[in-house]
Amino acid sequence: MAEPQRITPREQDASRWYHDVIRQAGLAEAAEVVRGCMVIKPHGFAIWEKIQAAMDARFKATGHQNFYLPLLIPQSFMAREAEHVEGFAPELAVVTHAGGKLLEEPYVIRPTSETLVGHFFSRWIESHRDLPLLLNQWANVMRWELRTRLFLRTSEFLWQEGHTAHATHAEAQEEVRRMLEVYAEICEEHLALPVVRGTKSATEKFAGAVQSLCIEALLPDGKALQVGTSHDLGQNFGKAFDVTFQNAKGEQEVVWQTSWGTSTRLIGGMIMAHSDDSGLVLPPRLAPVQVVIVPIFGRGDGADAVREAGSALQKELQAAGIATTFDVRDYKPGYKFFEWEQKGVPLRIELGPRDLQAQQLMVKGRLASAKQTWPRTEAVAQVQAFLTQMQADLLAAAHARQAAMTVEVDDFEAFKAIFAGEGSRFVMAHWDGTAQSEAAIKETTRATLRCIPFARDETPGRCIVSGRPSAGRVLFAKAY
Amino acid sequence: MAEPQRITPREQDASRWYHDVIRQAGLAEAAEVVRGCMVIKPHGFAIWEKIQAAMDARFKATGHQNFYLPLLIPQSFMAREAEHVEGFAPELAVVTHAGGKLLEEPYVIRPTSETLVGHFFSRWIESHRDLPLLLNQWANVMRWELRTRLFLRTSEFLWQEGHTAHATHAEAQEEVRRMLEVYAEICEEHLALPVVRGTKSATEKFAGAVQSLCIEALLPDGKALQVGTSHDLGQNFGKAFDVTFQNAKGEQEVVWQTSWGTSTRLIGGMIMAHSDDSGLVLPPRLAPVQVVIVPIFGRGDGADAVREAGSALQKELQAAGIATTFDVRDYKPGYKFFEWEQKGVPLRIELGPRDLQAQQLMVKGRLASAKQTWPRTEAVAQVQAFLTQMQADLLAAAHARQAAMTVEVDDFEAFKAIFAGEGSRFVMAHWDGTAQSEAAIKETTRATLRCIPFARDETPGRCIVSGRPSAGRVLFAKAY
């Protein structure tokens, strides 16, 4: 284990700060020998397991079942849906040899599984009675990225991809919206990350979809992070893979499909949203260790009593469902404080002979500026209240930041000024609905049209770049 | 949804029986378009989730943490450990192109991750304080197999691979044995699959290990299925990847490593062990649906009452932690009975107006020859007792079968007779410890040395093929 190192202040170098936080918290590291890929280390993976558990429970509660598709996809499958292959071809990793032989047809490593889903749905769906078919898979996927950044964009990443088939377009659209809402709730209730729900423009939608919905989070630097997408695939893949069903009248129809996904990128967003120059800050609901008890043995012979009291306190908190570590390692308390702070543990409890004497706990919240004391008898109630409050505080702070950094702009010069250099905000501006104006804005400012928010002011106006009529404001930002 | 189909009797064609059981239970199907791979369908994946949950809890209880390594391994890494590359080279799938370009160095899709583990352990381990390092990963792996069979042997499969590093060989050996015992307990307590614990011969050990331990299950046809392995890697990968640590005296030493794995193959073993000509039979602890309630609406107007009573019963059982489905689909009861039987649901409850009247439940266990009735008031207690009993019965039956099909043989002619044609048993026979005799036995009979059981009669004898001295009997069988 390396000695704890300082974290580069965010003000000084935001990119180094981000990587320092990840390194010092033991979340992940670049694989280096595998281009653009990362190793997710135990502390990082434990956070992913918590996100998975929360999400999987909601998927099941909304009637979905998990399944598992092959990693490899015949290369020709990708080409069956024209937009799909165009969107993904540049990012594919290709298996050309296996078992010591050149393959007759190469396989690609899945960048997403709509094509295989199309193939199997066509085998599994026969009648309207088989619909809706509501499936999800937890898997690794690969998209060969040129510029990578831990968690936010890596060539391989872990994700879930939901795939559903429905008898009508209306039902499919309802599903697309339902799953976006599941994502938004997980972000807000678990990651303490408020999001803007909206529709992608035609330029930004998923390759092969009729329409893509998304949730966009504002990060402290004013940039946007797309943390989840939910796609109305219409009948595009159904037609490409001949996925038909017999309706109640005995006629053959093509199914209506959806797909939706979130990934380990969520962890990147969470790190950026809450962490500080002392390291990781974790929303309590996602913290693998919620409380750490650090024994202060002092110089006298009260060590046994401290050890016993610490162990009893750990058991008491664990019994109440609080993930608690009692850190009895042979390091100095200061070293431990520093390490657990960097790892983002929400609450630290110090326990020494004097605390035992006074029947109190000396505690420090991860974001608190000072320690405080709690009566020992109130341990469970105080810890629970603290964790609930911290979860709420993180969300409130993120909400406040989002409100403060969201601006309405009607003047293109002012718009450009906001996005000058590394600048970014959530800018609500009028747009005429054309890909042309969207491209012009992107070219001039590097800001992209993040989404057409569901909840937007629909007062008509004039497009910020073309001056043509606009039906309402849309969200622009630079994006990760 | 296809109409339920009959299952080919096992006696008639064991291989077709196996595939019919899997198809009719909706567990998996061959991908076909992806050579040697399969799709794990929702019912099959739900069983895997139950196995995962049981295993993961034990891994964590024994101090292990999950992590995630890249899918791809630089091809040159495989060659760093000489035996390892020899063992795995013929089965590798190779990525030669990515992002539209030919790669400078190809990657292989992981067949197992010891090489990457070696690389990262060398970065993570510095001091004896970093040891033991106890990690596990749940992942997909790929081994290009020529002959595949659903769950038992597929080119891609899901598994877990444990990887640990220790300061001493003794500690590593203890870990290897501990994790084998975890596997054995999961097999016996959850899968109702008794196993023989033992050591692999040098010929059969993992490519790169000093020694491999394994658990072998006897299937009803007398063949063996290796369902878990645990390897003492000694310092082989430590030396190949320079994984050293500073010991307490300040000296550099090479770590001692272990690795251990189980896979979706466990599901194949479980299917073979318990199922019958009516379809899948599931040990209750692994059944995604433990109880199905089938309403019998009859001709009168008691339908609403039945619906209400079924729903109430479902809630009551679910509240007691029993996975219960109330099947209100628009099919005839007989169709539903047939389908749930094929899916291996342990207990069926029929509920009609007459049962409501009599305040009773008409029930049928998956393996019972006749229905019986229980007082409605005893529902939870009766169901719990039934599930516990069925779990125990399946294990007892498998134990009895193993005892009946395990024989001691001292005569090579008798040995050959047992393995003639498709024949197989668990044969305990003397062996002189040489690879030569082991090969001679395999060549003549197709039986392989499954393991040197920990619990074996150590009365010396004479090798069944060479006549040379043997220190005790070892286990031979044909293997899947």
Side-chain angles (χ1 to χ4, degrees), chain A residues 172-281:
Chain A
Q173 286 170 317
E174 202 180 296
E175 168 79 4
V176 170
R177 193 76 180 241
R178 179 186 303 119
M179 299 323 288
L180 191 80
E181 195 49 41
V182 164
Y183 290 161
E185 284 172 19
I186 293 285
C187 284
E188 292 173 353
E189 294 170 20
H190 290 259
L191 284 79
L193 199 61
V195 293
V196 175
R197 302 144 167 87
T199 307
K200 284 283 177 205
S201 67
T203 309
E204 298 278 342
K205 77 174 170 60
F206 177 77
V210 168
Q211 189 177 64
S212 290
L213 307 186
C214 64
I215 47 175
E216 300 278 329
L218 174 125
L219 298 185
D221 58 3
K223 290 187 184 149
L225 183 71
Q226 174 184 297
V227 283
T229 49
S230 186
H231 312 294
D232 171 6
L233 303 177
Q235 295 180 314
N236 291 352
F237 288 89
K239 285 177 182 161
F241 289 91
D242 196 24
V243 190
T244 60
F245 69 100
Q246 194 171 49
N247 67 21
K249 291 181 232 153
E251 304 154 348
Q252 287 298 121
E253 285 190 59
V254 175
V255 300
W256 300 84
Q257 286 175 253
T258 84
S259 67
W260 25 278
T262 55
S263 73
T264 35
R265 156 174 272 208
L266 285 167
I267 298 175
M270 193 189 62
I271 296 167
M272 289 245 185
H274 307 304
S275 302
D276 60 21
D277 289 349
S278 302
L280 185 66
V281 173

Side-chain angles (χ1 to χ4, degrees), chain B residues 175-431:
Chain B
E175 168 80 2
V176 170
R177 193 76 178 243
R178 180 186 304 120
M179 300 322 289
L180 191 81
E181 195 51 39
V182 163
Y183 289 162
E185 285 172 19
I186 293 285
C187 284
E188 293 172 353
E189 294 170 19
H190 291 258
L191 283 78
L193 199 61
V195 293
V196 175
R197 299 143 168 91
T199 307
K200 283 283 178 204
S201 67
T203 309
E204 298 278 343
K205 75 175 171 58
F206 177 77
V210 168
Q211 189 177 64
S212 291
L213 308 186
C214 65
I215 48 174
E216 299 279 330
L218 176 126
L219 298 184
D221 58 3
K223 289 187 185 150
L225 183 71
Q226 173 184 298
V227 282
T229 50
S230 186
H231 312 294
D232 172 5
L233 303 176
Q235 295 181 313
N236 291 352
F237 288 88
K239 285 176 182 164
F241 288 90
D242 196 24
V243 190
T244 60
F245 68 101
Q246 193 171 50
N247 68 21
K249 291 181 231 155
E251 303 153 351
Q252 287 299 120
E253 284 189 61
V254 175
V255 299
W256 300 85
Q257 285 175 252
T258 83
S259 68
W260 25 278
T262 55
S263 73
T264 35
R265 156 174 272 207
L266 285 167
I267 298 175
M270 193 188 64
I271 296 166
M272 289 245 184
H274 307 305
S275 302
D276 61 21
D277 289 350
S278 302
L280 186 65
V281 173
L282 284 174
R285 293 185 77 170
L286 293 184
V289 179
Q290 295 173 304
V291 176
V292 61
I293 304 167
V294 178
I296 313 289
F297 292 124
R299 290 187 200 161
D301 39 27
D304 281 354
V306 167
R307 205 177 290 266
E308 220 166 275
S311 187
L313 178 59
Q314 180 189 30
K315 285 205 186 80
E316 192 177 324
L317 295 176
Q318 281 173 337
I322 300 160
T324 309
T325 292
F326 180 34
D327 183 358
V328 292
R329 292 174 304 160
D330 184 21
Y331 290 107
K332 290 189 175 150
Y335 175 99
K336 294 178 185 175
F337 295 170
F338 196 64
E339 184 182 305
W340 292 111
E341 196 170 43
Q342 291 193 332
K343 279 183 173 289
V345 173
L347 185 72
R348 174 178 97 213
I349 300 179
E350 301 171 24
L351 203 62
R354 259 181 301 177
D355 303 302
L356 295 193
Q357 189 82 36
Q359 300 195 304
Q360 68 178 21
L361 303 174
M362 181 76 79
V363 305
K364 186 172 174 304
R366 171 62 181 80
L367 294 173
S369 51
K371 298 179 188 182
Q372 60 177 122
T373 57
W374 290 341
R376 172 64 183 83
T377 51
E378 295 174 14
V380 168
Q382 290 279 8
V383 169
Q384 282 171 332
F386 170 85
L387 296 175
T388 304
Q389 188 62 46
M390 182 177 173
Q391 183 80 31
D393 288 348
L394 286 175
L395 180 61
H399 264 302
R401 182 171 57 219
Q402 187 182 307
M405 295 181 89
T406 301
V407 292
E408 292 191 353
V409 176
D410 289 317
D411 172 69
F412 199 45
E413 290 309 313
F415 187 99
K416 285 192 281 189
I418 285 172
F419 293 107
E422 283 306 301
S424 184
R425 286 289 181 277
F426 265 19
V427 175
M428 297 299 300
H430 281 290
W431 167 59

